[in-house]
Amino acid sequence: PGGNLTGVTCMTTELMPKRLELLKEALPKASRVMFLHDPEAATNAYKLTQEAAPRLGLRMQAAQVGSADALLPELTMIAKEHPDALLVYPDVVLSSHPRPQQLADFAIKAHLPTVHAFRFYVDAGGLMSYGATTSEIYTSAAEQVAKILKGARPSELPLRQATRFELVINNRTAKA
């Protein structure tokens, strides 16, 4: 209140349980899912996912990646654990180039289905994504910035929330 805050949310955290549901629909026999995330960025997302897992008959395990250097060793650990699927939280570490491609290459080689928040992971070779359309998020953010540059106070602008979501499945990865 009274501050200078506005923005756009793509509801990444809030949609993690839905991604887990879609994963269970796609893989009904799955029982153990690895949640790959930066523990500093995804505290609430992991909590929401853990709460949703039992009603879906799933057991969650955490795989934590706090830096880019930690990804490959963590993927080696995941391969040894042999989970049924990998749920990836799109934090800065896991979203930055070349991590989406590294994740896709690993998952395909390990025959490990992956679920993501954004299409660019699926374009890199991930199995599926469900989340806000990035074009809507970028457009909303640009509109907010334009209003501020024209003199609007950020505190007077509402926080904008995504309204369009997409489910994307990579058929080539599904066949592999």
Side-chain angles (χ1 to χ4, degrees):
N4 291 317
L5 179 67
T6 190
V8 179
T9 178
C10 53
M11 300 172 52
T12 302
T13 296
E14 296 84 354
L15 289 174
M16 291 309 288
K18 182 64 176 177
R19 290 183 191 99
L20 194 61
E21 289 176 19
L22 291 167
L23 171 71
K24 186 63 176 182
E25 274 189 52
L27 302 163
K29 293 183 181 179
S31 63
R32 200 165 46 97
V33 177
M34 190 73 69
F35 185 86
L36 183 64
H37 69 290
D38 176 349
E40 297 293 320
T43 306
N44 289 335
Y46 185 59
K47 181 181 177 228
L48 289 172
T49 307
Q50 278 187 306
E51 290 170 358
R55 71 177 165 77
L56 297 168
L58 295 170
R59 188 167 47 98
M60 297 299 301
Q61 289 181 269
Q64 299 179 354
V65 177
S67 69
D69 295 339
L71 178 60
L72 295 179
E74 196 64 22
L75 293 179
T76 300
M77 184 280 301
I78 291 169
K80 290 177 184 175
E81 289 287 323
H82 300 291
D84 296 319
L86 187 62
L87 182 61
V88 180
Y89 188 80
D91 55 57
V92 173
V93 173
L94 296 172
S95 296
S96 303
H97 178 77
R99 257 74 71 207
Q101 189 64 57
Q102 289 173 323
L103 286 166
D105 292 345
F106 162 76
I108 290 168
K109 183 178 175 186
H111 299 284
L112 185 62
T114 57
V115 180
H116 305 275
F118 298 109
R119 174 184 211 111
F120 64 84
Y121 287 100
V122 176
D123 293 341
L127 176 62
M128 78 168 106
S129 67
Y130 178 74
T133 58
T134 52
S135 61
E136 180 187 21
I137 297 302
Y138 296 155
T139 300
S140 294
E143 289 169 354
Q144 296 284 69
V145 169
K147 288 176 183 177
I148 293 167
L149 292 175
K150 290 179 182 175
R153 292 185 46 199
S155 61
E156 295 170 354
L157 298 175
L159 179 67
R160 306 250 324 249
Q161 183 173 308
T163 59
R164 290 183 298 157
F165 302 89
E166 64 182 352
L167 171 65
V168 182
I169 298 172
N170 186 321
N171 287 329
R172 186 174 300 148
T173 300
K175 289 176 185 174

